C-alpha cells in the first residue's frame, strides 16, 4: 500500500502508539520534579571551592561549544535542503584559506577549551590535592584506612599521636575528624581494590591491596557526612558505606580523650587481628 | 625427495612474486602484532622484577643454566638450518634452466636442511620439557611466588607458540616431500621460518632475562 | 591470491553460507551475529535499569525465567554479572562484529576495487573465532557460580581467585582472548588488503573515508589487542595455576608477589585505543555519509585523514586518565591530563570538517543521513563531557560515578552505534537487494535519539550529584536516597529507548525478505561498491576497474544532468 492511502486502523494504532512517548515524557517530567537534590550538595572541605569553580568553568565552555555545534548543524538543515533547482556548492576545502581557517579554529579551541582549563586545574592540584601536608606539621591528624570486603576500618593514633600503641582509636565505618585541621590519609586494602569516596569533601582515592596510597583533606565545617565505596569490590560494594563525623576543635579534643581512654581499657594484647597498622607513608 | 619426484614437473603452478610479497607482508604484520604481545609480557616481567629486592630471590631452586644454554644453542642452530634450507631453495630457483640436475640437488638440499631445522626444533622442545621437569622435581612450583610465576608463565606462553610453530615446520616438511613446496613455491616455508626466527628471538630475550641479567 | 583471478562459485550449502570464503557472506555472518548479541546486551541493560529504578522488585516476564530462586528478583551478585556481561557483550560481541567485522568486510574490497580480501581463509577463520569466543562467553553464564562479576574491566584482585572463585571469570578471560584473536586476524587482513589490492588509479587519497577509518582501526587492533591478550593470559594463569602476577605479597602466604595495578596499566594501554577502535569506523562512515547526502565533497579530506592518524598515534599515550585515583605520581598524572586534552584537538578538527561538509550543501535527509548527523550531536555532547574527566581535579570527584557512564555511552555506544545504524540503512540495498522502510527508519531515529539523550544526560546529573556506578541499589546509602528519582527518570527513558529498537528489528527482518526491491544505485553514489549490480556477483568485479576520480565528486560544476560521477569515469574538463 502506498504512503498516501494510510489505512485508518493503522493511523489509529500509530496515534495510540505515539501516546506512549508522551506518557513517558510525562513520567520523566514528574520524576525530575521530585528529585530531592540536584548536585553534590554544599562542599565541606577546602577542595570545595576550586572544584566548584572549575566545574562551572568547564560547563560554561562546553555549553557554549555545544551550542555553536548545534547552530552549525541546524542552519544547513533549515537552509540547505535539497529542492528542485538547488545545487550544492562544490568545495573540497583544500584552499589555503580553508587550511588556515582550520588551523586558527583548532588553536582557539585548544587555548579556550583545553589550555585555560589545564592552567586552572594544575594550580588547583598543586595547591590542593597534591599538597599533602608534611606529617610532622603541627595539627595534622593522621588516619590509616584499611578497606575490606565490605567495611571501612579506620585507625587514628590517639592522644599520644603514635600508631601502634594501646590508645590507637579503631573504628569501623565511622570516622571522626576535627574541623579546620588537615587530615592526612594512608589507604590500603585487605583483599580487593576499594576506593574511599567522601563526596562532601570532594575526595576520592583508591585503596589497593599490597600498596599504600596517600591523600588528604581539610574539613571546613562540622557535621555528619557520608563515606561511600567507589571501586567495584564484590556483590556488597553498594553496602560499603559509613559516616564521617566532623567536630569542631573543642568537641574533637574531648572526643579523642574519651576514645583513647576507652581504647586503652579495651586493649587486648592477644587480639593480633586488631593490631593492624603500618609504617606511615608520605 | 627422490630424484624422480623432483625432476617431474611440479603439479602446482609457481607462485607469483606478488603473491610472495602479499603473504610475507601479512606474516610481518602478524609478527609485529605478536611483538606487542610478547612485549607486554616482557614489560610486565621488567616491572615485577624491579619490585623484588634481589634477583633471583634467594632460597629458590633455580632452573639449570647449562641446560638452558644448551637449549638456546640448539634453538639458534635450528634457525640457522632453516635459513640455509631456504637459501638452497632460492638458489634452486635461480638454477632453473641450468638443468634439472641442479634443481633436483636444490630440492634435496632444501628438504634435508629443513629436516635438520625441524629436528633441532624438536630437540629444543625436549630440552625445554627437561628444564621444567628438573625444576619441578627440585621443588620449585609456579604458585610458590613471583620468580616462579614469571619463569613458568613466560616460558609456557613461549612454548605454546613453539608448539604451533613446530606444527607449521612439520607441515612444510611434509609439503616439501610431496612436492607442494619447493624452489618455485617457497613463501609458506619462508614465512614459517620467519615466525620460527621470531620465536627464537623471544627465547633469547627470555634467556637473557632469566639467566644472564 | 584473490586479487587477480575469478574463483569458481561455491556450490554446496556449507561452502555458500557456513564456511564461506566470500567477504560478502562473512560480512553478513558478522552482522547477524553482532545484532543478536546487541539484542542480548540490550536486554541486560533493560534488566539493570529495572533493578535501579525498582530495587528489589521482581523483573517482569524475564524475572521468573532467569532468577527463579529469588522469586524473579535480581540478587546483588547477579546484578554485578549483568553489568559485567552487558559491557563485555556490547563492546566485543556487538559493536566490534557489526562495525568492524561486517562493515570492514563488506566495504573494503568493494570500495577499493578488489575481488575479495587478500587472505580469504584467514577471514573465514576470524568469523568462526569470534563465534567461538561468543560461545565461551555464553558457556560462562551457565557454570555453577555463574558468569564474571568483576566488571568488563576485570580489575584484580577482584578478578583473581582472591575476589572471585569459579570458572566463570576464567571463561570470561578466555572469551576476551579469543575475540581479540579474531580481531587481530581481521586487522592483518584489512591492512594488507588495503595496501596491496587497491585497483589501478585508487591512490591512498582516492579511497572513501570509510576505508581510512577501518584502516586505522585495523592498525590499532593489530597493535593493542595483543596487549590485552597477554594481560588476560596472566590473569588466567593467576586463576588456574596460582601464579602471582597480579596478587600482591600481602595476600600470599609467603614469597614475593605481583602488582594489581600492573593489570590496570596493561588493560588501559589496550582499553583506551579500544574506544578509538570502536569509533574510527563510525567517523569514517559519517564523513562519507555527510558528503554523500549533502551532495558535496567531504570537506578537508586530507586533513580528516591526518586527524584520524593523529588520534591513532596519540591513543596509546592517554590511557592514564582512567587511573587518576589509583595513586599515580603527580608528574604522570599531569602528563596524561595534558595528552588527553591534546587528543581532543584532532577530534575537534573532524567536527569542523563535518559541519563544513554540510554547509551550503544540498541536503537529502534520508535515514542514513539522519544517523550521520546524529553522530555529530551525540559525539559532540559525549566528547565535550570528556573534558571534565580529563581534568584531574574534577575527575577525582566524577571518577566511578554515573558521569563516566553517561560520557562513555554517548561517545562509544551512541556514536559508534549510530555509525553502525547509518551504515546499515545505507548499505542494506546493496547487501540484501531491498530498501529498509524509510518511514520506519526515520521513526527509529527520532525514537532513539530523544530518549537516548535523556538517559545519558540524566546520568551526567546523577554523576555530578555523587552517584557511584556499579551499585546494586542506591537507596541503601543516605547520601544517595535523595537521587533515586533520577534513577527512575533514567530507567523510564531507557525502556522507551529499548522499545524503539524493536522498530529497527522489525524493519530489518521484514525488509530483508519482503522489502521494496532496490535499484542498483538508489543513493546515487560514485564509489566502486555502488557501481556493482545487485546482488553483487561472488567475484565482485568481472574486470578490475580503473579509477579516474575521487569518491566525493558531487556537484562538480562541469557535471551535466546529474550531481555525481562514478569513480571509474573521468571528470569532464
Amino acid at each position: 500500500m502506498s504512503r498516501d492511502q494510510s489505512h485508518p486502523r493503522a493511523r489509529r494504532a500509530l496515534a495510540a502508539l505515539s501516546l506512549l512517548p508522551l506518557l513517558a515524557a510525562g513520567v520523566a517530567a514528574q520524576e525530575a520534579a521530585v528529585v530531592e537534590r540536584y548536585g553534590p550538595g554544599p562542599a565541606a572541605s577546602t577542595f570545595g571551592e576550586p572544584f566548584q569553580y572549575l566545574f562551572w568553568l568547564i560547563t560554561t565552555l562546553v555549553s557554549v561549544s555545544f551550542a555553536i555545534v548545534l547552530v552549525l548543524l541546524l542552519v544547513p538543515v533549515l537552509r540547505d535542503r535539497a529542492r528542485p533547482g538547488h545545487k550544492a556548492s562544490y568545495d573540497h576545502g583544500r584552499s589555503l584559506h580553508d587550511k588556515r581557517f582550520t588551523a586558527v579554529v583548532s588553536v582557539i579551541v585548544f587555548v579556550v577549551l583545553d589550555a585555560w582549563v589545564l592552567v586552572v586545574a594544575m594550580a588547583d592540584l598543586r595547591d590542593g590535592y597534591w599538597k599533602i601536608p608534611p606529617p610532622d606539621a603541627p595539627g595534622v591528624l593522621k588516619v590509616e584506612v584499611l578497606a575490606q570486603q565490605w567495611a571501612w576500618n579506620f585507625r587514628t593514633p590517639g592522644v599520644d599521636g603514635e600508631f601502634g600503641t594501646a590508645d590507637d582509636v579503631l573504628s569501623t565505618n565511622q570516622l571522626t575528624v576535627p574541623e579546620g585541621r588537615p587530615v592526612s590519609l594512608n589507604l590500603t586494602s585487605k583483599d580487593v581494590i576499594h576506593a574511599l569516596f567522601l563526596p562532601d569533601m570532594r575526595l576520592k582515592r583508591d585503596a589497593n591491596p599490597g600498596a599504600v596510597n596517600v591523600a588528604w583533606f581539610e574539613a571546613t565545617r562540622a557535621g555528619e557526612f557520608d563515606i561511600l565505596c567507589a571501586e567495584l569490590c564484590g556483590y556488597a560494594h553498594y553496602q560499603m558505606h559509613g559516616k564521617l563525623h566532623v567536630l569542631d576543635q573543642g568537641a574533637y579534643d574531648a572526643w579523642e580523650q574519651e576514645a583513647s581512654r576507652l581504647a586503652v581499657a579495651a586493649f587486648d594484647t592477644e587480639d593480633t587481628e586488631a593490631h593492624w597498622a603500618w609504617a606511615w607513608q608520605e | 625427495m627422490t630424484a624422480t619426484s623432483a625432476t617431474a614437473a611440479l603439479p602446482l603452478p609457481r607462485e607469483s612474486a606478488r603473491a610472495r610479497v602479499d603473504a610475507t607482508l601479512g606474516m610481518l604484520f602478524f609478527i609485529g602484532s605478536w611483538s606487542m604481545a610478547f612485549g607486554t609480557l616482557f614489560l610486565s616481567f621488567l616491572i615485577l622484577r624491579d619490585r623484588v629486592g634481589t634477583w633471583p630471590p634467594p632460597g629458590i631452586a633455580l632452573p639449570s643454566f647449562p641446560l638452558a644454554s644448551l637449549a638456546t644453542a640448539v634453538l639458534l642452530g635450528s634457525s640457522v638450518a632453516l635459513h640455509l634450507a631456504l637459501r638452497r631453495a632460492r638458489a634452486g630457483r635461480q638454477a632453473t634452466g641450468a638443468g634439472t640436475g641442479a634443481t633436483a640437488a636444490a630440492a634435496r638440499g632444501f628438504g634435508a636442511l629443513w629436516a635438520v631445522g625441524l629436528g633441532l626444533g624438536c630437540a629444543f622442545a625436549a630440552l625445554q620439557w627437561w628444564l621444567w621437569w628438573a625444576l619441578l622435581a627440585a621443588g620449585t612450583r609456579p604458585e610458590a611466588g613471583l620468580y616462579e610465576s614469571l619463569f613458568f608463565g613466560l616460558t609456557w606462553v613461549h612454548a605454546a607458540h613453539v608448539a604451533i610453530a613446530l606444527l607449521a615446520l612439520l607441515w612444510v616438511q611434509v609439503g616439501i616431500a610431496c612436492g607442494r613446496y619447493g624452489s618455485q613455491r617457497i613463501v609458506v616455508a619462508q614465512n614459517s621460518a620467519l615466525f620460527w626466527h621470531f620465536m627464537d628471538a623471544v627465547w633469547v630475550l627470555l634467556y637473557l632475562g632469566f639467566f644472564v641479567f | 591470491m584473490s586479487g587477480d583471478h575469478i574463483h569458481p562459485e561455491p556450490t554446496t550449502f556449507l561452502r555458500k553460507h557456513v564456511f564461506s570464503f566470500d567477504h560478502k557472506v562473512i560480512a553478513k555472518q558478522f552482522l547477524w551475529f553482532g545484532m543478536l548479541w546487541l539484542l542480548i546486551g540490550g536486554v541486560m541493560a533493560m534488566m539493570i535499569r529495572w533493578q535501579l529504578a525498582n530495587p528489589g522488585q521482581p523483573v517482569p516476564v524475564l524475572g521468573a525465567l532467569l532468577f527463579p530462586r529469588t522469586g524473579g528478583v535480581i540478587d546483588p551478585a547477579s546484578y554485578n554479572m549483568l553489568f559485567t556481561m552487558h559491557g563485555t557483550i556490547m563492546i566485543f560481541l556487538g559493536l566490534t562484529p557489526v562495525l568492524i567485522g561486517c562493515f570492514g568486510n563488506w566495504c573494503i574490497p568493494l570500495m577499493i576495487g578488489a575481488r575479495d580480501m587478500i587472505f580469504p581463509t584467514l577471514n573465514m577463520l576470524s568469523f568462526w573465532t569470534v563465534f567461538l569466543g561468543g560461545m565461551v562467553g555464553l558457556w560462562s553464564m551457565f557454570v555453577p557460580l555463574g558468569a564474571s562479576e568483576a566488571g568488563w574491566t576485570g580489575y584484580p584482585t577482584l578478578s583473581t581467585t582472591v575476589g572471585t572463585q569459579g570458572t566463570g571469570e576464567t571463561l570470561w578471560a578466555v572469551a576476551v582472548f579469543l575475540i581479540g584473536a579474531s580481531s587481530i586476524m581481521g586487522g592483518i587482513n584489512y591492512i594488507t588488503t588495503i595496501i596491496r589490492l587497491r585497483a589501478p588509479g585508487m591512490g591512498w587519497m582516492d579511497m572513501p573515508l570509510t576505508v581510512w577509518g577501518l584502516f586505522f582501526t585495523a592498525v590499532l587492533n593489530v597493535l593493542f589487542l595483543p596487549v590485552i591478550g597477554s594481560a588476560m593470559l596472566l590473569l588466567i594463569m593467576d586463576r588456574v595455576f596460582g601464579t602471582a602476577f597480579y596478587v600482591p605479597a600481602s595476600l600470599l602466604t609467603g614469597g614475593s608477589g605481583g602488582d594489581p595495578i600492573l593489570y590496570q596499566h596493561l588493560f588501559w594501554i589496550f582499553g583506551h585505543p579500544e574506544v578509538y577502535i570502536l569509533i574510527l569506523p563510525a567517523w569514517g562512515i559519517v564523513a562519507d555519509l555527510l558528503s554523500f547526502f549533502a551532495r558535496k565533497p567531504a570537506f578537508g579530506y586530507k586533513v580528516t585523514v591526518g586527524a584520524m592518524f593523529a588520534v591513532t598515534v596519540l591513543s596509546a599515550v592517554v590511557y592514564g586518565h582512567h587511573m587518576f585515583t589509583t595513586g599515580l605520581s603527580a608528574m604522570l598524572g599531569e602528563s596524561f591530563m595534558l595528552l588527553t586534552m591534546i587528543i581532543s584537538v584532532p577530534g575537534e578538527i573532524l567536527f569542523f570538517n563535518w559541519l563544513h561538509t554540510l554547509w551550503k550543501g544540498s541536503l537529502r535527509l534520508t535515514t542514513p543521513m539522519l544517523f550521520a548527523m546524529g553522530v555529530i550531536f551525540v559525539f559532540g555532547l559525549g566528547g565535550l563531557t570528556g573534558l571534565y574527566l580529563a581534568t584531574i581535579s574534577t575527575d577525582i570527584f566524577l571518577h566511578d560515578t554515573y558521569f563516566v557512564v553517561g560520557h562513555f555511552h554517548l561517545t562509544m555506544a551512541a556514536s559508534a552505534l549510530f555509525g553502525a545504524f547509518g551504515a546499515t540503512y545505507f548499505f542494506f540495498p546493496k547487501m540484501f537487494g531491498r530498501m529498509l522502510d524509510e518511514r520506519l527508519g526515520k521513526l527509529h531515529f527520532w525514537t532513539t535519539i530523544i530518549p537516548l539523550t535523556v538517559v545519558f544526560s540524566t546520568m551526567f546529573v546523577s554523576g555530578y550529584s555523587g552517584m557511584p556506578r556499579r551499585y546494586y541499589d542506591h537507596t541503601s546509602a543516605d547520601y544517595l536516597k535523595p537521587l533515586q528519582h533520577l534513577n527512575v527518570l533514567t530507567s523510564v527513558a531507557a525502556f522507551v529507548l529499548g522499545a524503539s529498537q524493536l522498530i529497527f528489528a522489525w524493519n530489518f527482518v521484514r525488509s530483508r525478505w519482503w522489502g521494496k526491491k532496490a535499484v542498483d544505485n538508489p543513493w546515487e553514489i560514485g564509489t566502486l561498491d555502488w557501481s556493482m549490480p545487485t546482488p553483487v556477483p561472488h567475484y565482485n568485479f568481472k574486470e578490475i576497474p580503473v579509477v579516474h576520480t575521487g569518491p566525493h565528486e558531487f556537484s562538480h560544476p562541469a557535471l551535466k544532468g546529474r550531481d555525481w560521477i562514478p569513480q571509474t569515469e573521468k571528470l569532464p574538463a
Side-chain angles (χ1 to χ4, degrees):
Chain A
M1 114 191 50
S2 91
R3 219 180 278 177
D4 305 335
Q5 359 153 224
S6 305
H7 212 268
R9 244 195 327 182
R11 251 197 306 205
R12 276 203 292 273
L14 212 59
L17 274 173
S18 68
L19 283 176
L20 281 173
L22 284 171
L23 186 67
V27 173
Q30 206 238 345
E31 291 298 323
V34 302
V35 174
E36 287 165 43
R37 185 183 84 230
Y38 280 101
S45 82
T46 53
F47 298 142
E49 242 188 71
F51 171 81
Q52 201 63 22
Y53 173 78
L54 193 50
F55 189 88
W56 288 110
L57 172 65
I58 297 176
T59 302
T60 310
L61 294 172
V62 158
S63 306
V64 170
S65 309
F66 191 59
I68 294 173
V69 168
L70 281 182
V71 167
L72 293 174
L73 193 54
L74 277 170
V75 168
V77 171
L78 297 171
R79 178 191 68 185
D80 299 325
R81 290 257 204 130
R83 48 192 181 274
H86 180 248
K87 260 200 118 181
S89 93
Y90 177 79
D91 182 10
H92 275 280
R94 286 189 207 133
S95 71
L96 187 59
H97 161 81
D98 292 320
K99 291 192 181 134
R100 269 202 229 127
F101 192 21
T102 306
V104 165
V105 171
S106 306
V107 170
I108 292 176
V109 165
F110 182 75
V111 167
V112 172
L113 269 184
D114 297 315
W116 185 358
V117 171
L118 195 66
V119 164
V120 174
M122 301 245 294
D124 286 352
L125 287 167
R126 289 180 184 181
D127 291 330
Y129 290 105
W130 289 337
K131 209 165 173 199
I132 314 259
D136 50 359
V140 175
L141 173 68
K142 304 215 269 272
V143 181
E144 291 186 345
V145 181
L146 179 65
Q148 68 176 77
Q149 286 175 315
W150 286 276
W152 292 103
N153 303 294
F154 300 105
R155 172 187 290 266
T156 45
V159 171
D160 70 351
E162 297 238 352
F163 282 110
T165 54
D167 75 341
D168 287 0
V169 180
L170 290 163
S171 56
T172 305
N173 294 332
Q174 308 289 322
L175 177 61
T176 308
V177 301
E179 174 201 339
R181 278 171 53 194
V183 177
S184 217
L185 304 164
N186 262 191
L187 305 104
T188 192
S189 163
K190 256 193 203 175
D191 37 41
V192 302
I193 301 180
H194 302 266
L196 184 73
F197 184 27
L198 308 174
D200 305 281
M201 305 297 155
R202 309 290 188 260
L203 178 68
K204 184 183 290 122
R205 191 56 47 90
D206 287 4
N208 302 315
V212 175
N213 265 347
V214 181
W216 79 284
F217 70 96
E218 183 177 314
T220 50
R221 61 189 165 88
E224 199 182 82
F225 306 102
D226 293 275
I227 302 174
L228 299 168
C229 181
E231 184 60 53
L232 178 65
C233 56
Y235 68 80
H237 168 54
Y238 72 106
Q239 283 179 325
M240 200 168 148
H241 40 81
K243 286 293 178 203
L244 171 69
H245 309 274
V246 180
L247 305 174
D248 68 63
Q249 194 51 60
Y252 180 78
D253 286 334
W255 173 88
E256 196 183 32
Q257 287 279 357
E258 182 60 13
S260 293
R261 188 188 69 77
L262 288 169
V264 169
F267 186 75
D268 179 1
T269 35
E270 314 280 295
D271 187 1
T272 44
E273 270 253 339
H275 297 172
W276 63 266
W278 54 80
W280 186 256
Q281 309 262 295
E282 312 299 295
Chain B
M1 66 214 139
T2 62
T4 37
S5 68
T7 49
L10 276 171
L12 297 155
R14 63 191 289 172
E15 66 201 5
S16 66
R18 199 195 143 119
R20 264 204 301 277
V21 173
D22 292 344
T24 308
L25 208 53
M27 177 52 78
L28 286 174
F29 289 138
F30 175 69
I31 289 177
S33 184
W34 248 244
S35 303
M36 290 294 287
F38 282 104
T40 303
L41 293 175
F42 275 116
L43 180 72
S44 308
F45 168 74
L46 290 171
I47 290 173
L48 292 172
R49 173 178 158 158
D50 188 56
R51 302 167 104 249
V52 178
T54 43
W55 185 272
I60 306 177
L62 296 174
S64 157
F65 177 71
L67 201 53
S69 306
L70 177 63
T72 308
V74 164
L75 187 59
L76 288 169
S78 76
S79 270
V80 169
L82 294 181
H83 176 72
L84 291 173
L86 286 167
R87 264 238 309 246
R88 186 68 72 92
R90 276 193 286 267
R93 190 160 65 230
Q94 266 96 62
T96 311
T100 50
T103 323
R108 272 199 304 276
F110 182 28
L113 282 165
W114 192 269
V116 171
L118 175 60
L120 287 174
C122 294
F124 169 78
L127 286 169
Q128 169 92 96
W129 201 266
W130 187 2
L131 194 65
W132 287 326
W133 181 87
L135 200 54
L136 289 166
T140 302
R141 303 201 51 78
E143 63 270 13
L146 187 60
Y147 179 90
E148 299 88 324
S149 302
L150 285 168
F151 183 78
F152 281 106
L154 267 54
T155 53
W156 281 347
V157 175
H158 177 257
H161 290 86
V162 165
I164 295 170
L166 279 174
L167 286 173
L169 296 185
L170 183 62
W171 173 273
V172 171
Q173 188 75 68
V174 169
I176 295 172
C178 300
R180 195 185 313 124
Y181 303 125
S183 302
Q184 306 302 336
R185 292 176 59 85
I186 202 177
V187 76
V188 174
Q190 216 163 267
N191 284 337
S192 306
L194 250 180
F195 186 61
W196 185 257
H197 297 324
F198 172 64
M199 284 294 109
D200 216 330
V202 172
W203 171 259
V204 168
L205 287 172
L206 279 174
Y207 176 73
L208 291 174
F210 279 106
F211 295 99
V212 178
F213 293 111
Chain C
M1 293 296 157
S2 53
D4 310 44
H5 29 270
I6 296 174
H7 297 284
E9 185 155 4
T11 41
T12 62
F13 177 83
L14 273 183
R15 260 295 128 96
K16 267 205 267 200
H17 300 289
V18 181
F19 298 110
S20 170
F21 295 105
D22 183 345
H23 71 102
K24 301 185 291 299
V25 174
I26 296 172
K28 289 175 195 171
Q29 287 177 314
F30 272 113
L31 184 61
W32 287 107
F33 179 82
M35 288 196 303
L36 176 67
W37 281 104
L38 282 172
L39 175 66
I40 296 175
V43 169
M44 289 184 175
M46 296 298 106
M47 289 196 274
I48 292 169
R49 287 313 323 172
W50 172 269
Q51 163 60 26
L52 286 176
N54 310 288
Q57 299 301 312
V59 181
V61 181
L62 289 170
L65 238 90
L66 297 169
F67 311 105
R69 267 179 295 151
T70 44
V73 180
I74 303 170
D75 59 282
S78 300
Y79 179 80
N80 288 12
M81 235 176 266
L82 278 174
F83 65 67
T84 300
M85 295 311 285
H86 165 77
T88 308
I89 286 170
M90 291 307 224
I91 291 172
F92 291 115
L93 293 170
L95 278 176
T96 301
V98 171
L99 265 176
I100 304 170
C102 167
F103 291 113
N105 258 303
W106 181 265
C107 299
I108 293 174
L110 287 173
M111 285 182 173
I112 65 173
R115 294 229 164 85
D116 205 316
M117 287 287 177
I118 199 164
F119 304 127
T121 312
L122 189 66
N123 204 13
M124 184 194 63
L125 276 175
S126 118
F127 173 73
W128 287 107
T129 307
V130 80
F131 186 88
L132 182 64
M135 290 301 105
V136 173
L138 195 60
W139 177 16
S140 78
M141 300 189 219
F142 294 99
V143 298
L145 286 176
S148 167
E149 290 170 33
W152 89 278
T153 45
Y155 282 6
T157 47
L158 183 63
S159 58
T160 61
T161 44
V162 171
T164 309
Q165 285 77 51
T167 13
E169 184 71 31
T170 312
L171 289 175
W172 171 84
V174 171
V176 171
F177 185 86
L178 285 170
I179 297 163
S182 157
S183 286
I184 294 173
M185 292 184 215
I188 292 174
N189 225 340
Y190 294 2
I191 295 171
T192 318
T193 303
I194 293 170
I195 292 177
R196 299 290 293 167
L197 291 187
R198 279 170 294 117
M202 175 69 74
W204 282 95
M205 298 299 164
D206 299 305
M207 302 192 302
L209 288 162
T210 301
V211 179
W212 271 111
L214 289 161
F215 178 75
F216 287 126
T217 288
V219 170
L220 286 176
N221 264 332
V222 164
L223 284 175
F224 291 107
L225 278 165
V227 178
I228 198 182
S230 292
M232 288 296 137
L233 272 181
L234 296 178
L235 180 64
I236 292 169
M237 285 196 274
D238 272 5
R239 292 188 63 80
V240 177
F241 300 114
T243 50
F245 297 111
Y246 302 129
V247 185
S250 57
L251 295 175
L252 297 168
T253 43
S256 43
D259 186 358
I261 311 301
L262 171 65
Y263 176 94
Q264 289 186 39
H265 285 281
L266 299 182
F267 183 88
W268 288 115
I269 289 175
F270 154 77
H272 197 81
E274 168 67 7
V275 314
Y276 292 108
I277 286 168
L278 291 171
I279 201 64
L280 277 162
W283 282 350
I285 290 167
V286 165
D288 276 345
L289 290 180
L290 292 174
S291 161
F292 294 165
F293 291 104
R295 311 309 284 171
K296 201 170 156 263
F299 190 90
Y301 177 103
K302 280 204 187 137
V303 171
T304 295
V305 172
M308 293 203 277
F309 174 71
V311 165
T312 304
V313 167
L314 286 169
S315 64
V317 295
V318 299
Y319 76 90
H321 62 238
H322 299 272
M323 297 170 61
F324 283 148
T325 58
T326 356
L328 292 177
S329 74
M331 190 191 73
L332 257 185
E334 277 183 354
S335 312
F336 281 122
M337 175 165 64
L338 174 64
L339 286 162
T340 306
M341 291 190 173
I342 290 175
I343 206 177
S344 72
V345 176
E348 167 274 313
I349 290 176
L350 285 173
F351 269 84
F352 186 78
N353 284 348
W354 292 340
L355 291 166
H356 232 305
T357 303
L358 293 173
W359 195 260
K360 295 223 176 94
S362 182
L363 273 52
R364 298 180 178 182
L365 296 178
T366 58
T367 307
M369 177 59 147
L370 286 177
F371 275 104
M373 293 173 69
V375 171
I376 297 181
F377 181 87
V378 296
F379 196 79
L381 188 54
L384 286 168
T385 52
L387 186 55
Y388 294 91
L389 302 170
T391 307
I392 299 178
S393 49
T394 42
D395 181 72
I396 286 176
F397 184 84
L398 297 170
H399 173 76
D400 238 82
T401 64
Y402 266 89
F403 199 95
V404 180
V405 181
H407 166 75
F408 71 68
H409 276 93
L410 276 172
T411 47
M412 192 161 62
S415 309
L417 198 60
F418 275 26
F421 279 139
T424 305
Y425 284 97
F426 182 68
F427 290 111
F428 196 90
K430 187 59 72 184
M431 287 175 94
F432 298 111
R434 295 173 190 271
M435 304 296 288
L436 277 166
D437 185 283
E438 187 63 15
R439 268 207 315 184
L440 284 178
K442 291 190 164 115
L443 184 66
H444 172 223
F445 172 75
W446 289 110
T447 55
T448 296
I449 196 168
I450 294 174
L452 184 146
T453 306
V454 174
V455 171
F456 301 114
S457 301
T458 311
M459 286 189 185
F460 291 136
V461 178
S462 306
Y464 175 58
S465 306
M467 187 191 285
R469 55 187 288 210
R470 296 171 163 173
Y471 266 35
Y472 171 72
D473 175 4
H474 292 118
T475 60
S476 71
D478 289 341
Y479 186 73
L480 306 173
K481 271 207 261 278
L483 306 172
Q484 181 58 13
H485 287 278
L486 287 173
N487 269 331
V488 180
L489 168 53
T490 308
S491 295
V492 168
F495 297 144
V496 176
L497 176 63
S500 307
Q501 304 322 301
L502 297 174
I503 301 174
F504 173 76
W506 164 251
N507 195 0
F508 191 94
V509 173
R510 197 182 159 281
S511 305
R512 165 71 180 83
W513 284 282
W514 301 285
K516 186 172 89 176
K517 279 225 151 69
V519 300
D520 284 347
N521 195 353
W523 311 116
E524 296 183 316
I525 308 294
T527 52
L528 293 177
D529 50 328
W530 291 102
S531 71
M532 295 275 92
T534 308
V536 182
H538 81 275
Y539 50 77
N540 298 352
F541 305 92
K542 202 167 203 155
E543 267 144 46
I544 301 290
V546 178
V547 171
H548 296 288
T549 312
H552 305 120
E553 292 302 322
F554 294 98
S555 305
H556 192 281
L559 290 170
K560 299 267 178 285
R562 59 178 182 182
D563 62 357
W564 65 283
I565 178 171
Q567 283 195 264
T568 44
E569 283 178 33
K570 288 201 182 97
L571 273 170

